[in-house]
Amino acid sequence: MLRTVLISSVVVLTIQSTLAAQERPLGTRLTPQPYQTGRSVVMAKHGMVASSQALATQIGLDVLRKGGTAVDAAIAVDAALGLMEPMSCGIGGDLFAIVWDNKTKKLHGLNASGRSPYKATREYFQSKKLKEIPLYGPLPWSVPGCVSGWGELHAKFGKLPLSDILASTIDYANDGFPVTEVIAGSWAKSKKNLSKSADAHATYYPDGKPPKPGDVFKNPNLGKVYASIAKEGPEVFYKGWIAKKIVAYSDKHGGLFSMKDFADHTSTWVEPVSTNYRGYDIWELPPPGQGIAVLQMLNLLSAYNLKKMGPESADYWHLFIEAKKLAYADRRADLDGVRGQTPQADRHAKGSHRPSRRRSEARNQRHDLSLRRRQGSQLRLVHPVELPRLRQPSRAGRSRLRPAEPRQSVRARRAPPQSPGAAQTALPHDHPRNGDEG
């Protein structure tokens, strides 16, 4: 009798889930009730991986089970997302990472964003009668920094060979993987822009239409590139056949790339910057990333009792919106073209801000994944899609593209500052330090 009831319950639940999926638009998530997660919190003893695609997460877990480090797993997951969630980013983009090394008790930051081509000077764009770098086409392309970032992370914190780290994703690229529901929706929405390129259209819409949930998608060309990186290392991407292919494609379509742009690319290890918000030290990367804006927002909000206001009050949201506007206005005014340093620190200190009427934009998609090993090492890796604007070249004649303002997420921990990875958790907006502080 019990067995019959259980089977009936499973059938009912399956029918209800299917009906719920059919009723909501493609690509939208099944949203739980307010203030509920919709599922139990994941817990584990030996390591954790978080990403936006279940197969990518499984690949990361498999790397950890093989004895890989958190960084090995992060590279594996990032490569998988480039295949399985291609509209968000891939090895044609940049990479930023914050790594807590539990052995040395040190927090490391990596800026693996690429620079613009040597030919991309202000004079060039002025000669084309352009006031801004176009959002689409070959002119906004910068040297992809992602693969270089993988190399830097792997050399410093990796353990397994790249061939093992990329093996599962190479298999999925050649043999195919089932496209998941939410990603299928984003894939469909990207068709208009991707179809402007015949090559991109042929790759991602092989039948002239986007894959539906459950369709098996293959990308053997990406599998070939991953296989070369796994065998020859990141150098093949910047000095080998891959770089030559990219430059040749750029030349064919009016781009500005040269082999020197790729050969001269370097990624940079930087010191993370922080602020203390209600007893938690919040760490971000310095410019050209967006982290300094998050820290300024927190400094502005720290003077208000957000918990007392509550997330359903107009004042609560008004404060968040105004803090974001001020921080992004300052970021645009002061931090463009700045790399690895935090200028005008007094402006971003607690209690300091400058009103501004400028508005900011937040139009980025990105990969954002987090990993943690039992030994305590942790990694947050962000893979942004940058929307470029016209910028002043650096002294060396090249500059990193100025990223548009993406949404921000932070990892927080309790003070003291000398052990920033001791107990990292996501910080709720209403987390009190004491009493009813927000």
Side-chain angles (χ1 to χ4, degrees):
M1 181 64 179
L2 179 60
R3 182 178 181 183
T4 303
V5 172
L6 288 175
I7 293 174
S8 300
S9 299
V10 171
V11 172
V12 170
L13 289 172
T14 302
I15 292 173
Q16 289 176 340
S17 298
T18 302
L19 289 174
Q22 291 174 347
E23 290 171 357
R24 66 184 191 273
L26 176 65
T28 59
R29 300 179 187 273
L30 181 60
T31 306
Q33 294 297 316
Y35 313 116
Q36 294 181 1
T37 61
R39 63 181 180 182
S40 299
V41 176
V42 176
M43 302 180 185
K45 292 170 59 180
H46 303 291
M48 298 190 75
V49 179
S51 83
S52 56
Q53 216 278 358
L55 292 177
T57 299
Q58 187 62 55
I59 288 172
L61 289 172
D62 290 342
V63 169
L64 293 180
R65 290 192 182 100
K66 292 177 183 178
T69 65
V71 163
D72 290 334
I75 295 171
V77 174
D78 196 32
L81 290 174
L83 168 69
M84 299 174 181
E85 193 180 346
M87 76 295 303
S88 293
C89 208
I91 55 174
D94 293 328
L95 180 149
F96 297 89
I98 296 179
V99 185
W100 168 249
D101 183 3
N102 202 46
K103 291 182 179 179
T104 61
K105 307 297 181 185
K106 179 175 174 58
L107 195 65
H108 301 263
L110 178 65
N111 173 6
S113 61
R115 296 165 181 81
S116 57
Y118 283 110
K119 298 175 186 176
T121 63
R122 182 177 293 272
E123 290 73 25
Y124 172 85
F125 290 102
Q126 288 175 338
S127 71
K128 299 293 182 180
K129 309 298 182 183
L130 293 171
K131 295 181 179 180
E132 289 187 342
I133 300 175
L135 293 178
Y136 302 102
L139 294 182
W141 294 344
S142 61
V143 176
C146 173
V147 176
S148 171
W150 288 356
E152 291 288 336
L153 288 166
H154 187 258
K156 199 175 187 73
F157 299 108
K159 182 179 179 182
L160 299 180
L162 280 175
S163 56
D164 289 353
I165 293 171
L166 299 178
S168 294
T169 299
I170 293 171
D171 289 341
Y172 276 121
N174 293 326
D175 300 334
F177 66 93
V179 177
T180 51
E181 184 182 3
V182 173
I183 290 176
S186 298
W187 206 312
K189 293 175 183 177
S190 302
K191 186 175 186 296
K192 180 180 179 180
N193 287 329
L194 284 177
S195 295
K196 294 176 181 178
S197 164
D199 296 280
H201 182 84
T203 298
Y204 296 110
Y205 307 97
D207 298 323
K209 54 187 177 181
K212 300 185 299 295
D215 285 354
V216 174
F217 176 78
K218 301 178 182 180
N219 192 342
N221 287 331
L222 182 60
K224 180 182 177 182
V225 171
Y226 280 168
S228 288
I229 295 171
K231 182 179 179 180
E232 303 178 52
E235 286 290 292
V236 70
F237 190 91
Y238 296 95
K239 297 180 180 180
W241 73 268
I242 300 174
K244 293 176 182 177
K245 281 273 190 180
I246 296 173
V247 171
Y249 186 88
S250 172
D251 289 341
K252 181 180 178 180
H253 294 277
L256 303 175
F257 280 148
S258 68
M259 286 299 296
K260 182 174 174 58
D261 293 322
F262 281 77
D264 288 355
H265 172 78
T266 56
S267 295
T268 308
W269 289 99
V270 297
E271 290 294 326
V273 293
S274 70
T275 192
N276 186 280
Y277 182 79
R278 306 189 191 284
Y280 289 85
D281 289 327
I282 315 297
W283 295 85
E284 288 283 0
L285 293 180
Q290 314 298 318
I292 191 70
V294 174
L295 302 184
Q296 186 179 358
M297 291 175 209
L298 292 175
N299 288 344
L300 290 166
L301 293 170
S302 64
Y304 300 92
N305 192 332
L306 299 177
K307 184 178 181 181
K308 185 176 180 180
M309 295 176 188
E312 295 181 355
S313 72
D315 286 343
Y316 179 94
W317 289 105
H318 178 70
L319 283 171
F320 271 82
I321 292 169
E322 291 302 317
K324 197 167 189 177
K325 286 165 61 179
L326 286 169
Y328 279 143
D330 282 350
R331 185 220 169 275
R332 280 178 175 271
D334 299 337
L335 305 183
D336 287 346
V338 176
R339 292 176 49 207
Q341 53 185 303
T342 309
Q344 298 191 14
D346 58 326
R347 172 166 302 177
H348 305 282
K350 278 198 171 183
S352 299
H353 69 277
R354 175 176 58 84
S356 174
R357 297 180 180 177
R358 301 189 184 187
R359 295 183 179 271
S360 62
E361 301 171 12
R363 297 183 288 177
N364 290 53
Q365 293 180 330
R366 70 182 190 182
H367 293 153
D368 196 340
L369 56 100
S370 302
L371 301 101
R372 180 169 182 166
R373 277 207 64 86
R374 182 179 184 180
Q375 290 82 352
S377 295
Q378 301 175 52
L379 169 67
R380 176 190 168 208
L381 185 149
V382 178
H383 203 157
V385 176
E386 297 185 348
L387 300 180
R389 300 289 186 274
L390 194 58
R391 71 284 186 207
Q392 183 66 41
S394 64
R395 295 180 200 170
R398 307 172 73 205
S399 63
R400 293 192 193 274
L401 280 174
R402 184 178 101 189
E405 292 78 2
R407 59 181 175 82
Q408 293 292 335
S409 63
V410 297
R411 293 291 181 265
R413 62 168 183 83
R414 279 286 188 186
Q418 62 266 25
S419 56
Q424 281 192 325
T425 57
L427 177 63
H429 292 306
D430 61 349
H431 199 297
R433 179 175 59 179
N434 52 57
D436 64 351
E437 290 184 341

